[in-house]
Amino acid sequence: KARYMGDRKGDSARSTTNLETILQSETAFQKGIVLFRVKKYNEAQKNFTEALKLSPNEAEYLMYQAWSAYKANHRSTEVVINTRKKLIRATEMSPKLSLAHLYLGYLSKDEGNEKEAQRRFERAILCNPNCTEALRELRLMSMRKEKAEKEKKGLFGKMFS
């Protein structure tokens, strides 16, 4: 009986520690979200990194940590490469994480890879049909494509008339 009671006390201590860790990581994450929304990307990244250290299997933490790093320093090739790897990892951890697909779409668009960007935006919509940012990006891409086709036809029409 004494051993049983000792085991129970040990389990209780472990579960309290897990609960504290979860609460600390969620608190750091929420602080990061607030900073992210006001475009303080460096400070947000620090909070997301802290949350990720405490809960390394949270895809959303990884996604925000990667994207805030990119927003803070998108000109660095190393940051771009790391951001892509982390966002892909986040989609592997949580395939329905629409924002990770959206951010991969933005990354591809910034790199001039329109086809990959379109694929990622479409994937974001499959995960979340109400993803307004992805819907907007696809609409803009469609409008640009139509405009380019009209200009192309107009040029050929003028040449052969």
Side-chain angles (χ1 to χ4, degrees):
K1 184 176 178 179
R3 186 174 48 165
Y4 171 77
M5 293 304 287
D7 287 347
R8 298 269 301 152
K9 287 179 184 174
D11 287 346
S12 177
R14 267 185 260 135
S15 66
T16 302
T17 304
N18 285 342
L19 181 59
E20 287 174 11
T21 302
I22 291 167
L23 289 173
Q24 287 173 347
S25 66
E26 186 62 23
T27 300
F29 175 72
Q30 291 302 325
K31 285 179 184 176
I33 289 291
V34 169
L35 292 165
F36 184 85
R37 287 186 178 145
V38 295
K39 298 180 181 358
K40 293 186 177 184
Y41 300 118
N42 283 322
E43 293 107 39
Q45 182 188 0
K46 290 174 187 171
N47 281 281
F48 294 136
T49 300
E50 181 184 336
L52 202 52
K53 283 180 186 173
L54 295 167
S55 296
N57 295 325
E58 286 290 335
E60 194 172 16
Y61 296 179
L62 179 61
M63 174 196 69
Y64 275 109
Q65 191 269 340
W67 193 244
S68 60
Y70 177 75
K71 295 296 280 185
N73 189 10
H74 64 277
R75 287 176 173 55
S76 167
T77 305
E78 184 180 334
V79 170
V80 172
I81 292 168
N82 285 332
T83 298
R84 180 175 302 287
K85 285 179 184 176
K86 288 178 180 180
L87 289 174
I88 289 171
R89 173 81 176 108
T91 62
E92 290 168 352
M93 292 167 69
S94 181
K96 297 244 181 227
L97 191 57
S98 63
L99 283 178
H101 294 289
L102 176 72
Y103 294 155
L104 281 164
Y106 285 146
L107 196 61
S108 296
K109 180 182 169 188
D110 289 350
E111 293 174 330
N113 188 344
E114 293 286 319
K115 286 185 180 181
E116 177 65 13
Q118 181 176 349
R119 192 174 75 77
R120 289 297 180 171
F121 294 139
E122 288 170 351
R123 186 72 183 264
I125 293 167
L126 285 175
C127 296
N128 176 9
N130 297 320
C131 185
T132 56
E133 296 93 341
L135 289 166
R136 182 182 61 236
E137 289 296 329
L138 287 173
R139 197 172 17 241
L140 287 170
M141 292 172 97
S142 175
M143 288 169 56
R144 279 188 220 112
K145 187 177 179 181
E146 286 176 17
K147 183 179 178 184
E149 287 175 2
K150 283 182 183 177
E151 288 175 0
K152 189 177 181 181
K153 287 180 184 176
L155 179 63
F156 283 122
K158 290 176 185 175
M159 287 175 59
F160 296 110
S161 356

